[in-house]
């Protein structure tokens, strides 16, 4: 074993080890002979004890000398090297070194009293400090932003500032891309072409950060591509990193929960070897100090697997709402919560006009429609009137008007046209009270398509009526009012039978939302001014169809009414993953003043140069619920309708680690790459940390000195 020093210039401190000797030589006490009889007795006693004290003085001298010498040597950082490795390091000569610091979200994992990022940064700084004065270096913090690295330089202070000022981000980092950028920068300087090349990566070895299917980066040389020497410093020191995380969150209206009820489905994943039994899950409603816990539950997650948990909540009122589903905070709090911003449909006021009342409720034209709209979970509040009473109704009091087999609107036509043009909704269904061609002429500018004649697909009650009845063919399931029909729910709609319906001529401005199996329009949408019109070419009672007794009828009526009132259009954009661009659309007449991050801090925005409205685009750097403060007529306020959710990147929640041998093989094998559980101050040479032993010797010498003086 050979001996070298990391800081040989500090060996001058060994001079302090001679101070105890000087003190003993120049300040020792010398006896003075005094011719006094009484003193002779004392001198004889002193000579008898001198032999015992002599050993104590020697030990005290040794302890003081060892204390100062050990401290001086420890400051110089000695290290013991194997002769063959020291010779190899000398033969290699100086190297250009790139130090890459992993700043991804998973580095926020707290292991002991420090995060993995803090450990990795200390490792990277130690590796940088271990370089010789003739070795250029560069430092690169690998976070969400695309990697960019400059050629190595001898400005060691600049590289150190890059590492010291780096912070762990809240997004995904592609270490494969960062390593490629660093290695490319190592070969960028022609002046350093003769130097060896070395890469140091301080990371947590999370498998999600690497793309091992990509060929490893190499450096060009006259002899062909060469692999640089690679040292991967494991910030986790080989320890496992168990983690539980919320990986998805979905919200769907659920009438069974109650008015304005929603069901939130959360997916919880576990990356550990033991699983989670009775893991608490909670649903909070609101933002900031006004947030409250609405639901608490437990979920069992198998080891290395995932589980889903449904949480139900009914909102007290419609409008913008924010919810957060969270788990107890663990070592990686980054992924323990997910937020959602949604628009709860407001109460819809509907006027249902019954064109064919009947004392037998099952034969009444409006019975099934009114029952569907007035069900407990419906956001619609219907008012039922007959055709005669319709003439006295004040239409601006309502959001939607439903004309069910109404023969004629009479003098109410002008008011009805104005109602729709100003934003009201109108649904028209047919029946035996209506002549299609005459009806189209009586409602000019309201119906989305002109009507023609009534077609009978099958006589109701006939033996073969069920087989010959028409069914729905194509349905626009992407429409907001019909998007609720997915999976098996589609059968309840497509299985309905229709015995009679009116044919319609094509309309240039109309959109057909559903057709019968012969291609004839069944449900047609039209726009009139700021309002919406829906035409259903059959009946909404059981005269011409059996749809009212199908399971799809109730949700369809509720969602059609809500869409006509504009409630379904006020939906939110899906959440953004942290690090992805986000655009916020501003209402007319407003300008964005500030963004409020999930931690409550405001980020002021410059005033728009061209006025108001439009949109703002930015990239959120942390997960949670973001809010927007707008400026209107000189006043600033938070607009709840503009709040949006940003979700953590699920890749950073997966804390499963790469096998060190797999990563070593990727970079070219043990001959050029290695994974270290501790940072190597020597820059790659195996060593014994003698400085820590010397400090222990110094402490021991100090204690011995105290005992000798006691």
């Amino acid at each position: 074993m050979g001996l070298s020093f990391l800081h040989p210039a500090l060996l001058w401190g060994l001079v302090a080890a001679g101070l105890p000797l000087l003190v003993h030589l120049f300040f020792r006490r010398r006896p003075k002979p005094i011719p006094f009889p009484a003193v002779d007795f004392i001198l004889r006693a002193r000579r008898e004890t001198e032999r015992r004290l002599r050993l104590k003085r020697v030990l005290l001298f040794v302890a003081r000398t060892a204390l100062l010498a050990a401290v001086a040597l420890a400051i110089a950082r000695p290290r013991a090297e194997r002769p063959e490795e020291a010779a190899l390091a000398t033969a290699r000569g100086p190297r250009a070194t790139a130090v890459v610091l992993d700043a991804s979200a998973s580095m926020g994992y707290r292991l002991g009293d420090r995060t993995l990022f803090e450990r990795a940064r200390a490792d990277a700084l130690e590796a940088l400090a271990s370089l010789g004065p003739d070795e250029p270096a560069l430092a690169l913090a690998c976070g969400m932003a695309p990697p960019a690295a400059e050629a190595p330089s001898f400005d060691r202070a600049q590289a150190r500032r890059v590492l010291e000022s780096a912070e762990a981000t809240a997004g995904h980092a592609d270490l494969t891309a960062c390593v490629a950028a660093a290695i490319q920068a190592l070969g960028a300087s022609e002046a350093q072409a003769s130097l060896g090349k070395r890469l140091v990566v301080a990371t947590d070895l999370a498998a999600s950060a690497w793309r091992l299917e990509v060929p490893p980066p190499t450096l060009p040389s006259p002899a062909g591509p060469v692999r640089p020497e690679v040292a991967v410093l494991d910030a986790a020191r080989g320890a496992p990193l168990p983690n539980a995380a919320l990986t998805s969150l979905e919200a769907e209206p659920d009438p069974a929960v109650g008015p304005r009820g929603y069901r939130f489905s959360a997916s919880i994943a576990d990356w550990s070897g033991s699983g989670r039994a009775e893991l608490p899950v909670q649903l909070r409603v609101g933002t900031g100090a006004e947030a409250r816990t609405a639901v608490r539950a437990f979920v069992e997650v198998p080891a290395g697997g995932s589980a889903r948990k449904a949480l139900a909540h009914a909102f007290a009122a419609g409008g913008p709402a924010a919810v957060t589903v969270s788990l107890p905070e663990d070592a990686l709090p980054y992924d323990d919560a997910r937020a959602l911003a949604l628009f709860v449909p407001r109460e819809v006021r509907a006027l249902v006009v019954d064109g064919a009342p009947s004392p037998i409720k099952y034969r009444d034209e409006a019975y099934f429609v009114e029952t569907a709209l007035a069900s407990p979970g419906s956001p619609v509040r219907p008012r039922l009137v007959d055709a005669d009473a319709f003439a006295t109704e004040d239409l601006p009091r309502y959001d939607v008007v439903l004309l069910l087999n109404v023969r004629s609107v009479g003098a109410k036509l002008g008011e009805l046209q104005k109602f729709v043009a100003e934003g009201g909704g109108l649904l028209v269904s047919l029946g035996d009270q209506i002549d299609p061609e005459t009806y189209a002429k009586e409602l000019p500018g309201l119906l989305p398509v002109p009507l023609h004649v009534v077609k009978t697909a099958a006589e109701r009650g006939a033996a073969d009526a069920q087989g010959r009845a028409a069914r729905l063919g194509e349905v626009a399931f992407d429409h907001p009012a019909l998007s609720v029909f997915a999976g098996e729910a589609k059968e309840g709609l497509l299985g309905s039978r229709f015995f009679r319906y009116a044919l319609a001529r094509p309309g240039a401005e109309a959109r057909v939302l559903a057709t019968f199996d012969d291609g004839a329009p069944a449900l047609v949408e039209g726009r009139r001014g700021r309002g919406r019109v829906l035409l259903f070419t059959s009946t909404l009672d059981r005269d011409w169809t059996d749809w009212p007794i199908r399971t799809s009828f109730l949700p369809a009526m509720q969602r059609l009414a809500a869409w006509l009132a504009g409630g379904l259009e006020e939906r939110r954009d899906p959440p953004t993953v942290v690090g992805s661009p986000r655009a916020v659309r501003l209402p007319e007449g407003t300008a964005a003043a500030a963004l409020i991050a999930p931690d409550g801090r405001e980020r002021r925005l410059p005033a728009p140069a061209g006025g108001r409205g439009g949109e703002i685009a930015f990239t959120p750097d942390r997960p949670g619920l973001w809010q927007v403060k707008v400026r209107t007529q000189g006043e600033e306020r938070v607009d709840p309708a503009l709040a949006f959710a940003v979700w953590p990147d699920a890749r950073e929640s997966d804390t499963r680690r790469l096998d060190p041998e797999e990563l070593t093989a990727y970079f070219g094998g043990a001959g050029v790459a290695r994974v270290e559980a501790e940072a190597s101050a020597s820059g790659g040479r195996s060593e014994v940390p003698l400085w820590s032993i010397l400090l222990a010797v110094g402490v021991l010498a100090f204690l011995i000195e105290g005992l000798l003086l006691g």
Side-chain angles (χ1 to χ4, degrees):
M1 299 289 287
L3 188 65
S4 62
F5 294 90
L6 185 61
H7 304 299
L10 298 179
L11 288 175
W12 61 267
L14 286 174
V15 176
L19 292 179
L21 179 60
L22 294 177
V23 171
H24 280 269
L25 291 178
F26 293 99
F27 297 97
R28 61 182 179 177
R29 296 180 181 179
R30 296 183 178 164
K32 295 181 180 180
I34 301 175
F36 188 71
V39 177
D40 292 338
F41 175 78
I42 298 175
L43 292 176
R44 285 194 301 270
R46 182 175 180 179
R47 282 192 295 270
E48 291 176 0
T49 58
E50 184 70 23
R51 298 184 186 91
R52 296 192 302 269
L53 295 176
R54 186 175 301 158
L55 178 60
K56 183 176 181 180
R57 294 193 192 100
V58 172
L59 293 176
L60 182 61
F61 170 75
V62 172
R64 289 172 175 172
T65 303
L67 172 61
L68 295 174
V71 172
L73 287 171
I75 294 175
R77 300 290 290 275
R79 59 195 178 195
E81 300 174 339
R82 294 183 176 88
E84 62 275 12
E85 293 182 346
L88 179 61
T90 303
R92 265 192 316 228
R95 293 162 297 174
T97 301
V99 180
V100 177
L101 173 60
D102 186 354
S104 61
S106 65
M107 297 293 286
Y109 194 101
R110 182 165 292 277
L111 193 61
D113 58 345
R114 292 193 299 171
T115 64
L116 296 181
F117 179 78
E118 292 169 339
R119 291 168 175 260
R121 178 163 55 188
D123 292 346
L125 287 169
E126 186 172 348
L128 184 66
S130 70
L131 302 180
D134 56 347
E135 294 183 305
L138 69 91
L140 173 64
C142 185
M144 292 184 293
E150 299 180 354
S153 71
F154 292 96
D155 187 357
R156 198 64 52 76
Q158 171 61 24
R160 188 168 56 252
R161 282 193 295 269
V162 170
L163 298 176
E164 290 176 343
S165 62
E167 294 182 357
T169 64
H172 178 68
D174 186 348
L175 274 179
T176 302
C178 291
V179 164
I183 292 179
Q184 183 179 5
L186 285 176
S189 175
E190 295 182 0
Q192 301 171 6
S194 61
L195 297 178
K197 302 297 188 290
R198 178 169 172 265
L199 173 71
V200 177
V201 184
T203 179
D204 58 356
L205 287 183
S208 60
W210 298 90
R211 291 181 289 117
L212 300 187
E213 72 279 3
V214 177
T218 57
L219 287 162
S221 73
V226 296
R227 298 176 185 268
E229 180 187 351
V230 179
V232 179
L233 308 180
D234 180 11
R237 310 297 192 253
L241 305 175
N243 182 44
L246 277 162
T247 55
S248 70
L249 180 61
E250 300 169 359
E252 288 293 337
D254 188 354
V257 179
R260 295 171 295 278
Y262 275 78
R263 186 169 298 276
F264 300 92
S265 299
S267 294
I268 300 99
D270 173 74
W271 288 278
S272 71
S274 57
R276 309 294 174 107
E278 296 188 353
L279 181 65
V281 183
Q282 70 172 353
L283 171 70
R284 292 180 61 81
V285 179
T287 60
E290 299 179 356
R292 61 180 182 84
T293 300
V295 182
R296 287 188 176 92
F298 296 90
V299 62
E300 183 174 351
V301 188
S306 62
R308 289 183 67 84
K309 185 65 178 180
L311 306 172
H313 176 69
F315 293 89
V323 299
T324 302
V325 176
S326 61
L327 305 174
E329 189 173 292
D330 56 16
L332 185 62
Y334 161 81
D335 52 19
D336 293 333
R338 289 206 173 204
L340 267 182
L342 61 149
F343 192 94
V344 180
R346 294 188 175 95
E347 186 174 272
V348 177
R349 297 164 297 176
L351 177 63
V352 181
V353 184
D354 189 346
S358 172
I360 303 175
K361 62 181 180 178
Y362 296 106
R363 296 182 178 178
D364 187 87
E365 189 75 32
Y367 170 74
F368 293 99
V369 173
E370 183 191 20
T371 302
L373 297 181
S375 63
S378 173
V380 185
R381 294 295 171 264
R383 171 176 166 78
L384 179 64
V385 297
D386 58 21
D388 295 332
F390 175 57
T392 62
E393 287 293 332
D394 184 14
L395 298 187
R397 294 173 49 199
Y398 301 97
D399 303 305
V400 180
V401 173
L402 293 85
L403 300 180
L404 309 182
N405 196 14
V406 177
R407 185 188 304 273
S408 173
V409 297
K412 204 70 172 177
L413 176 61
E415 186 179 349
L416 186 60
Q417 290 176 325
K418 180 181 178 182
F419 167 77
V420 175
E422 293 180 351
L426 174 64
L427 185 147
V428 179
S429 68
L430 305 184
D432 54 11
Q433 299 286 327
I434 297 173
D435 175 64
E437 293 185 347
T438 304
Y439 202 61
K441 295 177 181 178
E442 289 183 355
L443 297 177
L446 276 180
L447 296 181
V449 291
L451 297 172
H452 186 32
V453 296
V454 174
K455 175 181 178 179
T456 301
E459 290 293 341
R460 190 179 184 91
D464 59 349
Q466 298 296 326
R468 295 177 55 194
R471 295 172 181 260
L472 292 179
E474 296 183 1
V475 178
F477 289 110
D478 60 339
H479 191 273
L482 303 175
S483 61
V484 69
F485 298 106
E488 296 181 358
K490 291 182 179 180
E491 180 58 29
L493 185 63
L494 300 177
S496 303
R497 296 177 176 85
F498 299 87
F499 307 102
R500 301 183 72 187
Y501 50 89
L503 301 179
R505 298 184 177 92
E509 300 179 357
R511 178 189 178 190
V512 178
L513 303 183
T515 64
F516 295 109
D517 49 14
D518 63 354
L523 184 63
V524 187
E525 168 196 335
R527 299 289 180 123
R528 298 293 182 263
R530 293 189 290 113
R532 302 173 174 134
V533 179
L534 284 176
L535 171 64
F536 184 62
T537 57
S538 188
T539 63
L540 292 177
D541 66 353
R542 295 191 61 191
D543 285 350
W544 291 5
T545 175
D546 67 355
W547 186 29
I549 61 174
R550 299 278 179 170
T551 57
S552 60
F553 186 78
L554 183 146
M557 287 296 101
Q558 294 179 3
R559 291 186 67 83
L560 288 173
W563 180 80
L564 287 170
L568 297 185
E569 289 294 289
E570 296 180 282
R571 63 187 186 276
R572 300 299 183 89
D573 293 332
T576 299
V577 176
V578 63
S580 301
R582 175 82 187 199
V584 179
R585 299 172 182 84
L586 302 174
E588 291 294 332
T590 63
L595 291 170
I596 304 177
D599 58 3
R601 297 182 181 180
E602 289 192 7
R603 303 184 182 183
R604 304 299 297 182
L605 298 173
R612 301 175 180 273
E615 66 179 29
I616 55 174
F618 79 112
T619 301
D621 58 1
R622 64 188 60 201
L625 186 73
W626 289 73
Q627 296 178 288
V628 182
K629 181 178 286 188
V630 298
R631 185 184 302 108
T632 306
Q633 298 179 352
E635 296 184 357
E636 295 184 359
R637 62 179 178 84
V638 174
D639 188 347
L642 298 179
F644 60 93
V646 176
W647 283 356
D649 195 316
R651 291 174 292 182
E652 293 299 308
S653 300
D654 188 350
T655 52
R656 289 175 294 183
R657 291 157 45 83
L658 275 177
D659 185 344
E661 293 184 0
E662 183 180 4
L663 192 58
T664 300
Y666 173 74
F667 282 113
V672 294
R674 69 188 180 283
V675 176
E676 301 179 359
E678 298 285 346
S680 176
S682 64
R685 298 185 292 271
S686 180
E687 60 184 45
V688 179
L690 295 179
W691 62 270
S692 58
I693 299 176
L694 290 170
L695 285 180
V697 171
V699 172
L700 180 61
F702 180 77
L703 294 175
I704 292 175
E705 182 191 26
L707 292 174
L708 293 174
L709 292 176

